[in-house]
């Protein structure tokens, strides 16, 4: 497809009804979604959900049984050369060629991609991913964090518009995770990024969209914010009462008054002696609760966001992966 008027298209990945079997296993089952420039789409799903298989098909590594994939307007099945040029892929495992130096490995990738200015491309990604200090070291001697960065560097070497990152922070310590998150954020505006992860906090931090995949199917396609809004415990108000007050008659009376508020669906005890006021309509009733406090002896009040983890568990429960 020609880019019109020299303007790069914004719809960078379009996947329609993608299906893939391995023998009798249906790894991907009718998956459809699209990703625009500026999107960081999180693939969330339990082990064996089909995330890697779907990613490999978008990169052109694996042929689907059914369905269409377009990358930057190019059909992966019929215009593979063009589509592959526009995709960078970080596979799940550490890069191979461990006996090569970082320099040698990246130069090899630049050559395989027939880049006109190989050393320029290598310098650019080494700078971006902070690999200067290990440039002459062999890949097998690097820490996990640096190995991951080498993987990212090879995925970025041809400056692709689409980045597919399979568990980019798996096994990294918090500092290294932050480095990778920073890099993803810095790249996000110009590219479409798809990443898979089991870490729900990661989705909240770096993704603007999230797909929950299980049993090869898309169960949710939403923003992390919208997902959190539907999570169990969203807008629950946790009240930490003074222990003596809680045990007193005044405490019981106060809890009874709380129960009687029209907005309050139920009052539950929560860990460490606090009580949870669960809103009947799921909305934020913090101001009403604060008005009710009166002479209640309160040590803290928390409005709970709700955990993506809980929603993830409830959505994927019972779906065979
Ligand atoms: P994880 O989070 O564990 O990486 P995933 O969501 O990436 O899992 P896939 O690796 O895509 O899931 O696997 C989907 C299903 O396909 C699983 O049941 C898996 O066992 C199966 N599978 C994957 N690759 C192959 C293969 N080469 N041969 C046979 N079955 C496979």
């Amino acid at each position: 497809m020609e880019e019109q008027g020299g303007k790069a298209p914004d719809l960078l990945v379009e996947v329609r009804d993608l299906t893939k079997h391995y023998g009798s296993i249906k790894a991907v089952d009718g998956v459809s979604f699209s990703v625009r420039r500026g999107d960081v789409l999180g693939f969330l799903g339990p082990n064996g959900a089909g995330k890697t298989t779907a990613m490999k098909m978008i990169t052109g590594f694996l042929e689907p049984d059914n369905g269409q994939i377009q990358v930057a307007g190019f059909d992966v099945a019929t215009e593979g050369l063009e589509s592959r040029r526009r995709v960078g892929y970080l596979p799940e495992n550490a890069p191979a060629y461990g006996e090569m130096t970082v320099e040698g490995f990246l130069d090899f990738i630049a050559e395989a991609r027939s880049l006109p200015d190989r050393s320029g491309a290598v310098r650019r990604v080494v700078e971006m991913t902070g690999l200067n200090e290990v440039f002459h070291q062999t890949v097998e001697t690097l820490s996990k964090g640096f190995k991951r960065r080498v993987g990212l560097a090879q995925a970025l070497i041809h400056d692709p518009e689409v980045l597919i990152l399979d568990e980019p922070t798996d096994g990294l310590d918090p500092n290294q995770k932050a480095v990778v998150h920073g890099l993803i954020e810095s790249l996000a505006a110009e590219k479409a990024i798809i990443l898979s992860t089991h870490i729900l906090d990661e989705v909240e931090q770096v993704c603007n969209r999230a797909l929950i995949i299980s049993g090869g199917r898309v169960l949710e396609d939403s923003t992390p914010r919208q997902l959190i809004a539907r999570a169990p415990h969203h807008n629950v108000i946790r009240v930490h009462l003074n222990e003596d007050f809680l045990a007193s008659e005044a405490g019981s009376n106060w809890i009874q008054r709380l129960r009687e508020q029209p907005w309050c669906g139920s009052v539950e005890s929560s860990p460490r002696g606090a009580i949870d006021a669960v809103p009947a309509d799921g909305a934020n009733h913090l101001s009403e609760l604060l008005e009710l406090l009166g002479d209640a002896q309160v040590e803290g009040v928390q409005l709970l966001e709700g955990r993506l983890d809980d929603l993830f568990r409830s959505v994927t429960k019972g779906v065979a992966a």
Side-chain angles (χ1 to χ4, degrees):
M1 191 195 78
E2 281 304 307
E3 290 169 3
Q4 286 174 4
K7 196 176 177 303
D10 274 341
L11 185 58
L12 289 179
V13 180
E14 212 175 355
V15 171
R16 288 288 155 255
D17 213 17
L18 201 59
T19 302
K20 178 74 187 175
H21 290 81
Y22 295 108
S24 61
I25 298 172
K26 210 173 209 182
V28 173
D29 184 6
V31 163
S32 300
F33 61 88
S34 47
V35 196
R36 308 189 81 83
R37 191 184 306 281
D39 275 347
V40 181
L41 173 67
F43 267 16
L44 279 166
N47 291 123
K51 305 180 295 293
T52 299
T53 304
M55 287 180 148
K56 282 185 178 163
M57 289 191 280
I58 300 167
T59 62
F61 271 89
L62 201 62
E63 216 178 295
D65 297 338
N66 246 313
Q68 295 83 43
I69 309 167
Q70 292 215 330
V71 169
F74 295 99
D75 189 295
V76 172
T78 58
E79 299 168 294
L81 213 58
E82 292 296 344
S83 71
R84 273 200 296 277
R85 251 189 229 152
R86 285 157 179 86
V87 180
Y89 178 42
L90 173 71
E92 204 172 359
N93 303 314
Y97 309 104
E99 71 288 354
M100 282 186 172
T101 62
V102 171
E103 178 184 20
F105 174 67
L106 293 176
D107 183 62
F108 168 74
I109 299 291
E111 187 178 9
R113 288 208 170 263
S114 310
L115 300 185
D117 175 14
R118 270 157 49 193
S119 64
V122 171
R123 268 202 311 277
R124 185 179 62 83
V125 290
V126 163
E127 201 58 50
M128 277 171 91
T129 53
L131 285 170
N132 285 301
E133 61 186 281
V134 295
F135 194 50
H136 300 294
Q137 215 169 308
T138 54
V139 172
E140 63 197 356
T141 64
L142 299 178
S143 68
K144 261 189 195 160
F146 274 120
K147 276 190 184 140
R148 229 48 198 141
R149 289 201 230 173
V150 172
L152 278 165
Q154 66 75 30
L156 287 164
I157 202 152
H158 53 302
D159 194 18
E161 288 180 286
V162 175
L163 262 185
I164 312 271
L165 311 175
D166 202 347
E167 300 192 24
T169 59
D170 186 40
L172 301 189
D173 69 36
N175 293 334
Q176 291 291 337
K177 258 182 205 155
V179 170
V180 172
H181 287 170
L183 186 62
I184 292 171
E185 275 169 33
S186 70
L187 295 165
E190 292 305 314
K191 302 190 188 296
I193 302 177
I194 301 175
L195 61 88
S196 68
T197 179
H198 296 287
I199 309 163
L200 299 167
D201 283 348
E202 186 156 275
V203 174
E204 288 181 60
Q205 278 174 41
V206 298
C207 300
N208 67 334
R209 282 181 54 211
L211 291 192
I212 298 183
I213 300 179
S214 194
R217 292 193 301 276
V218 175
L219 303 185
E220 296 282 341
D221 180 349
S222 190
T223 67
R225 281 279 107 202
Q226 285 167 334
L227 286 180
I228 288 172
R230 291 180 30 225
H233 279 86
H234 184 63
N235 279 333
V236 164
I237 306 168
R238 182 159 291 176
V239 186
H240 299 263
L241 292 169
N242 170 282
E243 244 177 69
D244 294 336
F245 176 74
L246 183 61
S248 70
E249 198 182 332
S252 310
N253 290 341
W254 186 78
I255 290 173
Q256 186 52 35
R257 274 212 306 285
L258 175 59
R259 250 192 210 107
E260 288 162 3
Q261 298 302 304
W263 58 267
C264 184
S266 62
V267 176
E268 298 170 2
S269 14
S270 84
R272 289 180 285 282
I275 56 154
D276 284 349
V278 183
D281 58 0
N284 178 347
H285 292 282
L286 183 61
S287 57
E288 286 103 315
L289 181 124
L290 292 175
E291 274 172 31
L292 189 74
L293 283 181
D295 55 2
Q297 292 171 32
V298 171
E299 290 172 351
V301 176
Q302 252 178 306
L303 181 68
L304 304 188
E305 270 225 300
R307 301 262 321 150
L308 208 43
D309 297 55
D310 295 334
L311 180 75
F312 178 75
R313 271 196 293 276
S314 67
V315 167
T316 57
K317 201 167 51 189
V319 179

